[in-house]
Amino acid sequence: MSKVLIIGAGGVGGVVTHKCAQHPEVFSEICLASRNEDKCRAIAAQLDRRIQTAQVDADNVEALVALIESFKPDLLIHVALPYQDLTIMEACLRTGVPYLDTANYEHPDEAKFEYKEQWAFQERYAKAGVMATLGCGFDPGMTNIYCAYAQKNLFDEIHQIDILDANGGDHGYPFATNFNPEINIREITANGRYWEKGEWVETPPLAEKRKFDFDGIGEKDIYLLYHEELESLSQNIKGLKRIRFWMTFSEKYITHLKVLENVGMTSIEPIEVNGCEISPLQFLKAVLPDPASLGPRTKGKTNIGIIADGIKDGKRRKVHIYNICDHEACYREVQSQAISYTTGVPAVTGAMLMLDGTWKGSGVFNVEQLDPDPFMERIGEMGLPWQVVELDPEDDPLA
Ligand code: NDP
């Protein structure tokens, strides 16, 4: 019986709150706090049990500490924005409350995301005997745990990993992003980058394109992107020689994005309009559909997973480990589309393992550093079943 404090009442916050509410045997008390308490109340009204709500500015450490001291949670799940990672980690450290998030820290003024600042908390968390679990969504999150599971159970050595993120969903809008548009567009318009033989190799944005036939979705164009889990996995998977990340985009999406980019709408650099300073990307976010509103409109499935290529018992082996998730089934269950669902469910599953002591430790951990087996045992019944498909080791599905 534990008390959980959830910060952030967006698409993912809604799923996390629903999923925690489905498990009163673990989460006996829930408090959902966000910048705008009305959004918390709207989510609370969808549930058939009572939860608390609160207003908090998560950029403000003192405000967070005051909220934590008044609610006294056993664990905090941070699903606000990556800009708040450091303030929330600081507040958890000061109050001795275990922390879990789904995205690494982003600098609000630079299109830059990295683990450096969060890893810098390692010594202080370790000294204080507090645990922080980083990146426990789907990607990062589930994909890291698939890698750790493959490393522990399926391979003696993994040489190459390709992370494949396919969204075959259609929301019917000409252009919308499935999660926070500002974060999403910044991620996609940055240079591509992958890791090979200890070096980072840069590619221009969306320059590398392949086709892949996804189970449950069909053939899709996939584009090479830099994604944050590459930073930790390249360090934590032993013997790794190359790791890349690929994501599907439709032609329609790429065309809209190119036009927006060409006219300067994806820039984060503030400009002056009628005496007001505004960032074009923040303005774009304000006019695009709210990701939380896509749920009832989205049809189709996601297929996200990893292809690992390596050696088992002296022989080459290649496997595809993935989950297929149906947007409409997610909406029926928690009133949200699959992107928020596939992020929120691993977060709650990770929180359960931290609360029952299965995942324990003092310090800051990326999820692949924790035991993948209990997570993989539980995640199917939590809503994200997975499968392992053997591939022909000589065949390159990404050629
Ligand atoms: P949303 O934009 O839908 O929700 C973010 C929420 O955080 C909003 O309710 C917002 O409030 C709130 N918030 C923003 N700033 C503050 C603040 N200073 N204080 C308190 N609350 C604040 O985003 P998503 O739900 O789509 O994403 C949530 C997180 O999940 C992000 O960090 C995102 O990067 C991550 N993510 C991770 C994925 C993964 O697979 N690992 C995939 C998808 C998302 P308001 O409503 O007032 O704006």
Side-chain angles (χ1 to χ4, degrees), residues 145-395:
I145 295 168
Y146 288 161
C147 293
Y149 176 82
Q151 175 170 260
K152 184 174 172 189
N153 301 291
L154 308 179
F155 289 90
D156 298 323
E157 263 177 53
I158 300 180
H159 295 159
Q160 294 184 4
I161 294 172
D162 282 291
I163 299 168
L164 272 61
D165 178 335
N167 182 6
D170 185 3
H171 42 61
Y173 285 117
F175 184 79
T177 62
N178 290 299
F179 65 97
N180 187 288
E182 201 185 321
I183 307 290
N184 187 219
I185 291 173
R186 277 171 57 156
E187 182 174 286
I188 294 161
T189 53
N191 267 351
R193 193 160 27 126
Y194 63 95
W195 185 90
E196 188 163 35
K197 297 186 189 124
E199 308 273 339
W200 290 104
V201 184
E202 288 231 352
T203 58
L206 305 177
E208 291 278 328
K209 176 180 160 186
R210 304 279 194 281
K211 285 198 184 300
F212 189 84
D213 194 4
F214 287 94
D215 186 13
I217 295 184
E219 191 175 82
K220 292 271 167 198
D221 289 336
I222 51 172
Y223 293 82
L224 188 138
L225 294 186
Y226 176 68
H227 219 244
E228 63 194 64
E229 62 264 50
L230 302 185
E231 188 183 2
S232 65
L233 286 168
S234 59
Q235 297 194 13
N236 291 328
I237 303 296
K238 292 180 287 293
L240 195 63
K241 298 189 170 107
R242 186 182 72 193
I243 181 163
R244 302 181 294 190
F245 180 94
W246 305 86
M247 193 179 265
T248 59
F249 298 105
S250 66
E251 232 168 81
K252 196 164 74 175
Y253 184 95
I254 297 283
T255 308
H256 274 84
L257 192 66
K258 285 219 167 104
V259 172
L260 291 167
E261 223 180 342
N262 287 343
V263 297
M265 282 305 296
T266 59
S267 164
I268 56 169
E269 229 27 74
I271 54 166
E272 205 185 295
V273 182
N274 293 338
C276 294
E277 287 245 306
I278 53 169
S279 132
L281 183 54
Q282 278 173 5
F283 176 77
L284 180 63
K285 173 181 185 262
V287 295
L288 284 176
D290 177 356
S293 72
L294 300 177
R297 307 172 54 103
T298 308
K299 297 180 180 14
K301 294 184 174 125
T302 60
N303 177 323
I304 317 176
I306 65 154
I307 293 179
D309 183 346
I311 304 288
K312 178 70 180 171
D313 298 330
K315 284 202 211 104
R316 183 129 176 248
R317 185 178 198 187
K318 196 181 273 192
V319 297
H320 187 191
I321 311 176
Y322 58 88
N323 159 262
I324 298 176
C325 192
D326 184 310
H327 285 286
E328 288 174 281
C330 296
Y331 192 75
R332 279 194 298 276
E333 187 194 326
V334 297
Q335 300 185 36
S336 159
Q337 33 80 355
I339 304 302
S340 304
Y341 189 90
T342 52
T343 309
V345 171
V348 175
T349 307
M352 284 172 155
L353 295 179
M354 286 171 76
L355 285 169
D356 73 12
T358 307
W359 276 1
K360 59 173 185 277
S362 299
V364 175
F365 300 87
N366 287 87
V367 281
E368 70 271 19
Q369 295 173 293
L370 303 165
D371 186 358
D373 290 351
F375 191 98
M376 293 291 269
E377 274 160 29
R378 205 171 292 182
I379 192 74
E381 72 201 31
M382 288 295 289
L384 298 175
W386 47 278
Q387 46 201 308
V388 179
V389 173
E390 292 289 339
L391 303 179
D392 178 350
E394 298 310 322
D395 201 32

Side-chain angles (χ1 to χ4, degrees), residues 7-14 33-37 39-40 43 55-60 64 78-85 87-88 101-104 106 135-142 165 178-181 183-184 187 227-229 285 290-292 304 337 339-340 342-344 346:
I7 309 276
V12 179
S34 198
R35 183 161 54 186
N36 175 349
E37 194 178 350
K39 291 204 177 174
C40 305
I43 293 169
Q55 193 282 330
V56 73
D57 175 4
D59 290 318
N60 182 330
L64 286 162
H78 161 33
V79 278
L81 295 179
Y83 310 134
Q84 283 91 46
D85 286 7
T87 45
I88 301 180
D101 71 22
T102 65
N104 72 2
E106 285 203 33
C136 197
F138 207 107
D139 45 339
M142 214 48 266
D165 178 335
N178 290 299
F179 65 97
N180 187 288
I183 307 290
N184 187 219
E187 182 174 286
H227 219 244
E228 63 194 64
E229 62 264 50
K285 173 181 185 262
D290 177 356
I304 317 176
Q337 33 80 355
I339 304 302
S340 304
T342 52
T343 309

